[in-house]
Amino acid sequence: MLKKTRLILALDVTDRTKAISISKDVAEYADAIKIGYPLVLGAGIGIINTLSEFAPVIADFKVADIPNTNRLICARAFEAGAGAIIVHAFTGRDSLSECVKTGREYNGDIYVVTEMSHPGAVDFMQAKALELARLAVESGASGVVAPATRPERVKEIRRVVGEMTIISPGVGVQGGSAAEAVRAGADYVIVGRSIYNSNNPAIEAEKIAKEIEKCR
């Protein structure tokens, strides 16, 4: 991913036509489009290739299974046109390594979840987040996911992963600040509902991109 705006659109709509329309509108302001199961289940896996015409697509499948199943999921996502896939590491070193290996085979990126952005992440994930970050580094992943809703955690995770890419969700509706996340060490911020539920997604995306620009 090239750092242009440092904004990633999280597109959690389920309608194909709406997804294409929003992606087209905000393409100028988004370095990537992150989609997950809601859209793929609603529009089919072919939507990945369609949206990749506007920006690189990150398949947020949070892959978390045995190594062989992880390989199959990642391969299908890359074959469908994904440029990157988000995976979990709590399933262990062998499962994560299979994702990273598959990513290399397809010249795609693997981003590892360290700590999610919702409040419940502090119940169990936070205690292991730094260990998951270290595992991501040791496995040769492309980057990690760290919560914009808790910028102090982004700082801690940055100290563990060094120069590795950090993408940070939770900006907007969840309460995270794009500026604070970037200042804490995030390379990219992920914004969803604040953009795709707005009356004018392009204007909202532009506003957030300008906010990020001021932090450089």
Side-chain angles (χ1 to χ4, degrees), residues 25 33 41 43 46 65 68 112 115 120 124-125 165 175 189-190 198:
D25 287 345
I33 299 169
L41 291 173
D65 216 306
N68 185 63
V112 179
E115 183 178 321
F124 301 106
M125 294 190 75
T165 298
V189 296
I190 302 170
S198 69

Side-chain angles (χ1 to χ4, degrees), residues 5-169:
T5 65
R6 296 192 179 196
L7 171 63
I8 296 172
L9 168 65
L11 194 55
D12 293 323
V13 299
T14 58
D15 180 76
R16 175 185 174 85
T17 300
K18 184 176 182 180
I20 293 172
S21 176
I22 294 171
S23 297
K24 184 177 180 180
D25 287 345
V26 306
E28 179 181 353
Y29 308 106
D31 285 340
I33 299 169
K34 183 179 77 72
I35 68 171
Y37 292 118
L39 181 55
V40 170
L41 291 173
I45 197 168
I47 192 66
I48 295 177
N49 187 59
T50 299
L51 297 186
S52 67
E53 297 177 12
F54 304 108
V57 172
I58 300 173
D60 186 4
F61 292 164
K62 294 189 175 67
V63 183
D65 216 306
I66 64 170
N68 185 63
T69 302
N70 281 2
R71 177 182 63 82
L72 294 171
I73 294 171
C74 289
R76 287 303 306 275
F78 284 127
E79 288 166 1
I85 302 172
I86 292 176
V87 307
H88 275 301
F90 64 76
T91 48
R93 187 178 302 272
D94 56 347
S95 292
L96 176 57
S97 294
E98 197 63 35
C99 294
V100 173
K101 178 183 175 183
T102 305
R104 289 173 179 164
E105 290 173 358
Y106 286 89
N107 196 31
D109 292 320
I110 297 294
Y111 293 107
V112 179
V113 176
T114 58
E115 183 178 321
M116 294 170 71
S117 56
H118 66 300
V122 303
D123 293 341
F124 301 106
M125 294 190 75
Q126 191 173 91
K128 293 293 184 180
L130 300 185
E131 290 182 52
L132 296 174
R134 281 190 284 271
L135 182 56
V137 174
E138 293 166 4
S139 299
S142 305
V144 297
V145 182
T149 47
R150 290 180 288 279
E152 73 283 358
R153 297 294 294 164
V154 176
K155 288 182 180 179
E156 292 186 49
I157 291 165
R158 171 57 75 194
R159 285 194 284 268
V160 172
V161 302
E163 296 301 312
M164 181 179 280
T165 298
I166 295 179
I167 61 177
S168 196

